[in-house]
Structure formats: structure tokens, C-alpha cells
Amino acid sequence: MLLIEEFLDNCYEISREISEEALNALIEYIEDNYERIDDPLLSDVEIQVKLEEFRNYIIEAKKLPTHRALKRLSHVRGMVERFKYNFLTYSVTCESSEFAKSLDVPIKYAKGVGPAREKLLRKLGIQTIGDLISFFPRDYEDRRKVIPLMYVRENEKITTKGILKSVEKTKKGDLIIVSALLQDGINQVILKWFNQEFKEMELKQLVGREVYVTGSVKRGFFGAMEIQNPEISLSDSPERTILPIYPLTENLTQRTIRKIIADNLPSICNLRDLIPKEILEERRLIDVWKAYTGMHFPKSSFHYKISRKRLAYEELLLFQTALYLSKRNVKQVGGIPKSFSGRLAEEFISKLPFKLTNAQKRAHAEIREDMRSPDPMNRLLQGDVGSGKTLVAELAIIDNYEAGYQSAFMVPTSILAIQHFQKLFNHLTELGIRVALLIGSTSQREKEKIKFALRNGDLDVVVGTHALIQEDVHFANLGLVIIDEQHRFGVKQREELISKGKVVDTLIMTATPIPRTLSLTLYGDLDVSVIDEMPPGRKEIKTFTLRHTRAKEVYKFVREQVLENGDQAYIVYPLIEQSEAINAKAAEDMYRTLSKEAFPDIPMGLLHGRMSDEEKSDVMSKFVRGEIKILVSTSVIEVGVDVPNATIMVIENAERFGLAQLHQLRGRVGRGEKQSYCFLIVSEAGEEAWDRLQFFASTNDGFKISEYDLRLRGPGEFFGTRQHGLPEFKVADIISDTELMLIAREDAKRIVENYPDSEIIREVYRIYGERIRFLDVG
Ligand code: ADP
Ligand code: MG
């Protein structure tokens, strides 16, 4: 039971190494397995002959002197590849008389489509021939392999073959059962159809003949193997193929849609390929029509694989080309190379109480190189919560200062701005760098002072929120923009800040670790630095998922840790309502209850979005200084807050948070040397939500978590509606097609530069149009 492609793939694997042992292994493999090949494609005489030739070519190597035999071995992999390309995909020649129908032709002009079918197809969103051929199967049924009855196992969907015997019909109450026996030699299975009385006639005509049977194997009441409601066909039927299964609604059968698609595929066989020939050849991509055929009616798994690859590549290429075009538009602004010795940053590093991690050093070096280059920096700094991104940002600020430029550091919340400001102020003032804070609640007088100083060049660094992008904020010579937690800002906000300088380098920081493919998609042609290493000595945060009935146990634990170890804790409430007033109230109520009942003797603080910046900052400072031991809060502390002595994070109604948010929250602890804990208290959660939280508890790896989350929710919801430029791909998988995305990205550059007038560029404008201007600032 071996398919040709399985046979070839095995030969390919054995020939990876060129040696006498490998040659002997290959010959042995071929001698043992050639006869086992059982593949519907063998009915093609040409394939039969070519396969025979291939076998003989290797077997005969036995008689040759070693060096010549090995030479043959070294050809095997190339031969296998050519064989697959030539014989395991369709080789189609279009009739020259047949002109490509445009993809825009309305579906009613398609072959085999009358008014009734037109209606059904439209229901599936199929309006044109183009829609029809891109209506891809959701799955395939591989009927090429025929499992002998002897090897038929329970709970597998298989195709098997045998002689049909004795058909009979029985009645059990309302149920009509037609059953038949399928035999080969001594083995047999029972076939059963329920309430399909008409089957009896059909089957009776097949008795005594060899048939193929496809279905799921079950064990019947008396222990015998059974296949229920199987598909049955004569052995010479063409159905021994890979069958597409379409996502259908009612009234259209698989058989019908298969036929409609099969009938209409040829009408586009002269379709012009968008991708330049040279690139197709270099990347070993099949032509577009072959790829469409392979998506619907793959001749082999190989055919499907390269078809999918080709079409996914095309989608990614179009997208990357759009990105590249937009980047080029931005790039033309130009930049200037900054010059600085780097001594100031070195001095700063030498005074730190710890050593930089290698990942931090690497990121810093990459940023330096960007800043010194004549092109403006466009870099994404990606690193899990607590990996030390802020420190790297500080180093960039110091270098930028040394080069003689101002820096702006924009963060999403005022709490975070205050915290960053305090940190930067402490660190940078001794280096002679002047830092200010600009947030909504900064007093009018103070604001005026800061703006005046920024405009005159009397300030070097400003940390702030959206307040930074007010129209009347001007800089003397802004040279570096840093944006933290980028996904919280919209496209325009970033552009606005950048436009306040002439030669601005941009560094974007995100703690949502996302797969490379996605960062390329979302952030376009940004370069990426990854901090994939935590500062040493960090312990895994221990995470527990508990039903709310056990909340008391958690509070008891918190109490002990605080009183005995001097630890600090967060207790967080989710957004329950749209209204922050209601949330604030929930947190307030809880704060009062807890300080009366669970923690009467422990200093507690309350933090929520309805408080003024001053109040918030006051509470935060007390928490930082350890005057407050337990901080009850809404999710306002989600981002960036850094208190190393806090070791416990209690999250109430944890099921209401998304995983990314939970990860952010958990990242508030585990920042020092002590063991940290995270408790997820669950109020009402279905099985799915519970599984999700269990998964979260099982890992501290932000990358794994976001990938899980992405798979669960899909990219659209994952990033929320604020994200522009997140395309919906039909074939490409935005999460796993990383390599293809990288290739497409490379080729996009070449296309824009070498084929400015090509079909593909026109297609890019047709699809992305106006959006091109915005894409890369995602
Ligand atoms: P992020 O912004 O990536 O979440 P931070 O920059 O806030 O992380 O750093 C988290 C904590 O780790 C801070 O207290 C910081 O001082 C500390 N830290 C940063 N780099 C190192 C390092 N190389 N070794 C030890 N501690 C570090
Ligand atoms: Mg941070």
C-alpha cells in the first residue's frame, strides 16, 4: 500500500547522504517496496514507464564501479523533484483557441450554471468566475489509498476494497437498515446504511463484483467491524482520487459544485500570470492556472502543497508590495546620519547595578547602527513583559542626546508616563540630560513652560501621553521618537508625533510578542529587534486557576506573604461594563470589603480610571515606596508598571480578560529575585474559557500565549478594530507562513524596483489603492 509520492519521498530521504551505505539502503528499499506501489496514477502508462526507468536506473547501479554508482545516487534527489513536478501535477496545455475569460465575468455565464444554480452560488458569495475558482475546499478526502480489509482499524476514515456479498434489508421499529458484506479472502467487514431503502437495489446489482468503499470504521454491536453509510463505487471508477470537500450550505451537493468548478476551470487556463516569469522560475513556483487546479483537484499531495504555496505567495507578495510602495513614499523624506561616540551610554551602563543581557546588547547595537545610518530608523523592539525594553530605550535616548537631538517618549497611559518619567529622570539627570513630563493633567503653567523649553531646545527629553501630539507642541530638533506599547496607538497618532521632527528615528516597543509573520504584516517594513532573553535570576511565576469559592484561601496566602515576607500584591478587577464609573465602583466596593474583612491590618490602596492623575500618581508612589502593601485596581495598571517588590497578582473574574491582557497583568510581578505568584480567580467560565485559563497557567512564555490566542480568536479580533492594514488572506496563513512572507517581502522590493510597470503593481493599486499611504505605519 504505497503511493508513488510516498515511494519517491522515501527515496529522496535516503539519498540525502551520498555514500555506499546510502546507495545500498536505497537499492534495498526499492527492491523491497517497488511492488507495493499501488497508486491510481499507475494507470497512466507514461508514469508507469518513467517510474520503471527510475527504478532500473538505481538498481542497475549495482553493476557499476563505485564512483559511477554514487554518481547515480547523487542524481536521485533531482530526479525525484522533476518527477513530482512533471508527473504528479497536471501538465496542461491550453487550447490555443481558448481565450481566458476575465475573472470578472458574472457567474451566470459560467458553464453549467442556470438561474437556479446562480442563485445558490450567489448565496455562497460567488458572483463571478473569479469567485468560483477561488472558492477553495475546506478539506480533502484522500481516496487514493486503499487499505486491505485486514488492516482496517476502528475510528479511521478509510477507503478499502473487496467483493460485495449478500445484501439484505431489515427493519427495527422505524429504522430501515440495508446491510451488505464486503470480503477479501478471509477478511470481511459489514457495510450498513440507515434509512436509505433505495440502496438495496443499487447494491444488489453490485453483488459479486469488486468495489471501493469509503467511510468511517466503527465496531458494531457484536464486535465486528462496520462501516456506516459508506460511499461505494466500482473499482474502475475515477473516484480513487483526492476529492475536494467544499464549505457548502443546503441545496448544493458536493458532486454538483465539483462539477461546476471542474467544467469552468479550463475557461481561465490562459489567465495572465501576475508574477514575473523570472521570479516564478527562481522561486520554483508553478503557474497560476496549475495552482488553481491543484487547489481544487490535486493530482497528489505534492500538487496541493505547491499549489497552496503558489497562491499564498501571491497574496503575500501583493501585500508586501503594497507595504514596500508605501515605505518608499515615506523614505523619500530622507534622514541624516547621526554622529556620537557612544561614550555617554557606556558610562551609564557601567554604573548600572546589573549587566545588560546579550539580547539587550544586541538590540542596542542594532539601534545604534540605524541611528548612524543615513536612512531614518524604523525599528520595532519586541520583548516580553519585563525583558528590559525600557532600558534599551534609555540607551537610545542617551545616544541621541549625545548626537545633539531631542527625544520624545510616548506611552498610552498617564500612570505609565509618570513611571517612565521618574525612571528616566533618576537615570538621566546625572548625565546632564534634561527630562520633562507632559500629560493631560500637567498644569497649564507647567505645560507652557515645557513647550517653550522644547521649542527652544532647553529640554532634551519629554515623556508623555497623547498630550505630546497636540498641535502646539514643537521641538527645536526632535531626533528620536519612542512609542511604547504601540498596539494601543492608532496610525495617525504615530505619524503626527514623527512629523514634529525632520530627521526622526523611530523606535516602537511592544510587549505583545507576536509571530514574525504578523509583525511584518502589522508593522510592515519595520526592522525588528527581539529581546528574547530575560534578565538573569528571574523565577517562573507560578500561576493558579481557582474557582471563586476558593478566593478566601488566596487572600489568606496574600496575607501571609505580606506579613511574613514583606511582599506586596495587586488585586485586579476587570472591565465589567463599558462605563469606567461602574468599574471604579466595583473596585471601590471590593476595596472596602477587603480592607474590612480580609486585610484589616494591612495598608491598602485603590487605583482606578476615574481618579485624577495626581491621585493615581500619589497612590502609585506609595506603592512603589512600600507604604501601600496591597493595591486594589481596575485594569489601568495593565501596562508597564514596574514594582520589583510586588510578587503576587490576584486577578478577579479572570475569565473576562483576554490572554494578552492576562499576560500583561501577570508581568507586573516576577520582576525581582523573589518567587512570584499569579492567581486567576474564576467566577463563571464555560469549559472553553476554563481551558484557555489552564493553558495560560501552564506557561510563562508570552510568545506561546499570543500564538494560542491568535489561533483561538483570529488576527482580526486579536488586534481589535483599531488596526489598519490587517489583510484577510484566503490561502496564506498569517500565523504560520513566516518563511513565505519573508520571501515575498524580498521579492516585493525587486518588483517595485525592476518591474515598475508590471501587471502586479497595477493589481496592488487595484486592491490596496488609497490605503497604501497608511499601510506601513500600522
Ligand atoms: P519591559 O519594559 O521590557 O517590560 P523593563 O525595562 O521595565 O521591562 O525592565 C523590567 C525590570 O528589569 C526593571 O526593574 C529593570 O530595571 C530590570 N532590568 C532591566 N534590564 C536588566 C538586566 N539586564 N538585568 C537585571 N535587571 C534588569
Ligand atoms: Mg515596559
Side-chain angles (χ1 to χ4, degrees):
M1 272 323 312
L2 196 61
L3 295 171
I4 293 172
E5 60 181 325
E6 293 172 326
F7 171 77
L8 290 174
D9 286 342
N10 288 333
C11 291
Y12 186 96
E13 282 308 312
I14 298 170
S15 324
R16 273 186 190 280
E17 181 194 302
I18 306 301
S19 67
E20 271 179 80
E21 294 84 69
L23 180 64
N24 290 334
L26 182 64
I27 290 171
E28 196 183 335
Y29 174 78
I30 293 178
E31 283 176 342
D32 289 351
N33 292 283
Y34 190 79
E35 293 305 323
R36 285 180 57 227
I37 298 177
D38 174 19
D39 191 313
L41 295 180
L42 278 180
S43 61
D44 179 333
V45 178
E46 192 180 7
I47 291 180
Q48 227 180 68
V49 169
K50 291 287 172 192
L51 199 62
E52 191 96 14
E53 276 175 23
F54 173 75
R55 179 191 67 171
N56 295 341
Y57 183 78
I58 306 300
I59 303 284
E60 280 161 16
K62 271 204 276 200
K63 301 181 211 135
L64 298 174
T66 313
H67 74 279
R68 284 186 56 203
L70 288 182
K71 185 122 204 185
R72 288 200 171 185
L73 180 65
S74 72
H75 289 155
V76 168
R77 291 169 64 195
M79 288 169 80
V80 166
E81 294 233 303
R82 276 194 301 280
F83 196 104
K84 284 163 63 174
Y85 273 97
N86 291 338
F87 300 111
L88 302 187
T89 68
Y90 289 105
S91 46
V92 202
T93 38
C94 282
E95 306 266 325
S96 59
S97 62
E98 238 178 313
F99 287 103
K101 272 197 191 149
S102 156
L103 294 180
D104 298 332
V105 171
I107 192 66
K108 68 175 163 192
Y109 298 118
K111 236 183 237 176
V113 178
R117 284 188 178 165
E118 183 195 352
K119 230 169 146 186
L120 291 173
L121 290 172
R122 280 180 180 276
K123 265 198 192 150
L124 292 167
I126 300 171
Q127 316 267 0
T128 63
I129 298 253
D131 295 338
L132 181 71
I133 61 161
S134 348
F135 184 69
F136 295 125
R138 64 169 163 77
D139 201 2
Y140 299 86
E141 202 173 301
D142 190 349
R143 291 200 182 177
R144 291 171 302 165
K145 231 178 172 170
V146 183
I147 309 284
L149 281 178
M150 191 171 141
Y151 297 112
V152 165
R153 296 282 171 269
E154 220 175 326
N155 297 326
E156 280 176 9
K157 182 158 192 187
I158 49 104
T159 296
T160 185
K161 161 171 101 165
I163 310 287
L164 195 75
K165 304 265 173 164
S166 63
V167 177
E168 68 177 62
K169 186 171 75 180
T170 50
K171 256 189 161 163
K172 268 188 189 158
D174 284 346
L175 197 64
I176 297 167
I177 304 170
V178 176
S179 54
L181 215 55
L182 189 71
Q183 284 190 333
D184 83 15
I186 54 167
N187 302 293
Q188 63 179 39
V189 297
I190 299 165
L191 311 178
K192 269 187 187 165
W193 289 264
F194 299 103
N195 286 338
Q196 297 181 47
E197 212 174 341
F198 61 91
K199 277 278 173 195
E200 191 189 3
M201 284 297 292
E202 193 186 318
L203 289 167
K204 283 210 158 130
Q205 308 195 350
L206 294 175
V207 168
R209 299 185 64 175
E210 190 180 60
V211 292
Y212 286 104
V213 171
T214 302
S216 298
V217 183
K218 301 261 172 357
R219 199 171 282 280
F221 193 66
F222 294 107
M225 291 291 193
E226 254 181 44
I227 306 181
Q228 297 177 355
N229 299 317
E231 308 247 353
I232 191 162
S233 58
L234 282 173
S235 44
D236 52 35
S237 124
E239 297 272 285
R240 237 190 108 187
T241 55
I242 303 173
L243 279 176
I245 316 282
Y246 293 94
L248 293 183
T249 45
E250 70 238 84
N251 293 333
L252 200 60
T253 63
Q254 295 289 347
R255 201 179 283 264
T256 309
I257 186 88
R258 273 175 206 148
K259 181 147 173 33
I260 296 175
I261 291 175
D263 286 348
N264 285 284
L265 268 173
S267 72
I268 53 132
C269 80
N270 277 316
L271 194 66
R272 260 209 34 222
D273 212 311
L274 286 178
I275 303 175
K277 234 193 169 61
E278 299 83 80
I279 292 187
L280 283 182
E281 271 164 25
E282 183 187 333
R283 298 297 186 192
R284 306 211 63 182
L285 295 162
I286 54 174
D287 71 56
V288 64
W289 192 74
K290 214 180 215 179
Y292 275 114
T293 315
M295 288 300 285
H296 293 287
F297 306 107
K299 198 170 174 185
S300 60
S301 314
F302 174 74
H303 189 197
Y304 165 73
K305 246 172 47 198
I306 57 174
S307 301
R308 198 202 83 86
K309 180 175 161 194
R310 148 72 210 223
L311 295 177
Y313 169 86
E314 183 168 318
E315 284 180 320
L316 296 172
L317 184 66
L318 288 167
F319 179 66
Q320 287 294 338
T321 304
L323 285 179
Y324 188 75
L325 284 170
S326 64
K327 186 194 175 191
R328 227 183 32 161
N329 294 345
V330 174
K331 260 232 166 121
Q332 281 156 0
V333 177
I336 57 158
K338 291 182 177 148
S339 75
F340 51 90
S341 72
R343 225 175 298 127
L344 204 56
E346 308 307 340
E347 187 191 322
F348 172 74
I349 293 169
S350 71
K351 284 190 189 147
L352 285 172
F354 47 74
K355 280 209 191 99
L356 295 189
T357 62
N358 285 326
Q360 283 173 317
K361 282 184 198 160
R362 198 173 55 231
H364 182 214
E366 285 163 352
I367 291 167
R368 275 194 164 165
E369 196 174 316
D370 285 356
M371 287 172 54
R372 285 176 170 144
S373 102
D375 288 326
M377 170 165 79
N378 257 308
R379 187 168 286 278
L380 178 70
L381 180 59
Q382 187 181 311
D384 211 341
V385 198
S387 61
K389 294 183 296 295
T390 313
L391 196 80
V392 173
E394 283 182 275
L395 297 173
I397 290 173
I398 298 172
D399 285 339
N400 184 57
Y401 166 80
E402 217 199 334
Y405 291 92
Q406 293 170 301
S407 304
F409 196 150
M410 183 160 76
V411 299
T413 67
S414 52
I415 293 191
L416 195 54
I418 293 165
Q419 237 206 356
H420 277 349
F421 167 71
Q422 283 165 350
K423 199 179 247 181
L424 263 61
F425 188 83
N426 291 340
H427 283 160
L428 303 182
T429 309
E430 22 181 309
L431 301 177
I433 303 176
R434 297 159 295 182
V435 189
L437 173 71
L438 187 64
I439 54 181
S441 61
T442 307
S443 74
Q444 210 49 43
R445 259 195 58 189
E446 183 71 11
K447 270 187 190 154
E448 290 310 320
K449 252 172 69 185
I450 291 172
K451 285 182 202 162
F452 188 77
L454 281 176
R455 188 198 286 262
N456 281 324
D458 294 335
L459 259 177
D460 306 306
V461 181
V462 63
V463 181
T465 53
H466 298 80
L468 293 183
I469 51 181
Q470 302 295 313
E471 268 167 39
D472 58 347
V473 177
H474 300 280
F475 292 84
N477 56 350
L478 180 63
L480 174 66
V481 163
I482 298 173
I483 300 178
D484 199 4
E485 310 300 347
Q486 148 78 9
H487 64 283
R488 308 191 139 227
F489 287 104
V491 177
K492 276 186 69 193
Q493 293 163 327
R494 186 180 130 193
E495 261 192 346
E496 270 164 346
L497 186 55
I498 293 169
S499 68
K500 291 185 185 288
K502 288 200 197 82
V503 286
V504 174
D505 284 319
T506 313
L507 182 67
I508 287 163
M509 306 204 289
T510 177
T512 311
I514 51 176
R516 176 83 172 125
T517 324
L518 267 173
S519 67
L520 279 171
T521 310
L522 282 173
Y523 303 115
D525 228 359
L526 291 191
D527 300 301
V528 180
S529 294
V530 181
I531 305 190
D532 51 5
E533 178 186 6
M534 285 291 183
R538 295 275 166 85
K539 296 203 174 73
E540 287 260 298
I541 301 162
K542 292 192 175 149
T543 307
F544 302 92
T545 313
L546 300 151
R547 300 275 177 202
H548 70 284
T549 44
R550 298 182 59 193
K552 284 218 169 79
E553 295 169 45
V554 176
Y555 299 148
K556 184 161 170 268
F557 178 82
V558 171
R559 223 184 125 71
E560 284 166 9
Q561 291 295 112
V562 171
L563 292 178
E564 286 163 26
N565 280 349
D567 289 359
Q568 288 171 276
Y570 299 95
I571 300 179
V572 178
Y573 289 85
L575 278 176
I576 296 171
E577 305 275 341
Q578 281 306 313
S579 143
E580 177 60 26
I582 294 174
N583 294 309
K585 174 118 185 6
E588 241 162 54
D589 287 350
M590 204 60 206
Y591 167 73
R592 233 172 283 128
T593 313
L594 287 175
S595 43
K596 241 186 269 156
E597 288 165 14
F599 312 113
D601 48 351
I602 296 176
M604 292 177 68
L606 173 67
L607 196 67
H608 58 69
R610 297 273 283 185
M611 291 159 62
S612 71
D613 281 348
E614 233 153 279
E615 288 171 305
K616 281 189 225 164
S617 135
D618 182 49
V619 171
M620 263 332 278
S621 319
K622 282 188 179 146
F623 191 61
V624 171
R625 289 198 298 269
E627 290 161 23
I628 288 173
K629 294 289 183 196
I630 299 177
L631 186 63
V632 176
S633 154
T634 56
S635 48
V636 287
I637 58 146
E638 180 194 333
V639 188
V641 173
D642 186 24
V643 182
N645 192 49
T647 60
I648 306 172
M649 169 62 65
V650 180
I651 304 170
E652 306 268 353
N653 295 319
E655 72 279 6
R656 291 174 187 263
F657 289 97
L659 289 188
Q661 224 184 345
L662 287 176
H663 186 62
Q664 286 283 339
L665 285 170
R666 180 168 61 180
R668 299 309 111 216
V669 298
R671 301 191 145 235
E673 308 260 299
K674 290 186 187 173
Q675 177 62 52
S676 288
Y677 303 88
C678 175
F679 296 96
L680 307 176
I681 298 186
V682 183
S683 292
E684 16 177 326
E687 200 170 329
E688 202 180 306
W690 187 256
D691 283 352
R692 194 166 57 94
L693 297 175
Q694 290 294 11
F695 172 81
F696 176 78
S698 75
T699 180
N700 272 278
D701 185 335
F703 192 88
K704 280 198 192 137
I705 291 169
S706 53
E707 195 157 282
Y708 179 92
D709 208 16
L710 263 166
R711 288 248 172 252
L712 211 65
R713 295 194 290 154
E717 207 185 315
F718 182 85
F719 289 102
T721 44
R722 253 200 251 173
Q723 277 307 333
H724 292 241
L726 193 69
E728 299 258 331
F729 296 126
K730 269 198 134 133
V731 183
D733 182 333
I734 204 169
I735 301 167
S736 59
D737 275 329
T738 315
E739 213 172 303
L740 213 50
M741 179 77 100
L742 291 172
I743 292 173
R745 183 182 185 226
E746 229 174 77
D747 294 347
K749 248 179 236 182
R750 290 197 290 172
I751 287 192
V752 173
E753 256 129 55
N754 304 339
Y755 306 89
D757 268 341
S758 58
E759 195 80 16
I760 184 161
I761 301 271
R762 277 191 287 281
E763 183 70 4
V764 168
Y765 276 104
R766 200 181 64 76
I767 299 176
Y768 292 98
E770 260 300 286
R771 281 158 66 204
I772 284 181
R773 226 169 56 74
F774 287 111
L775 278 172
D776 91 320
V777 276

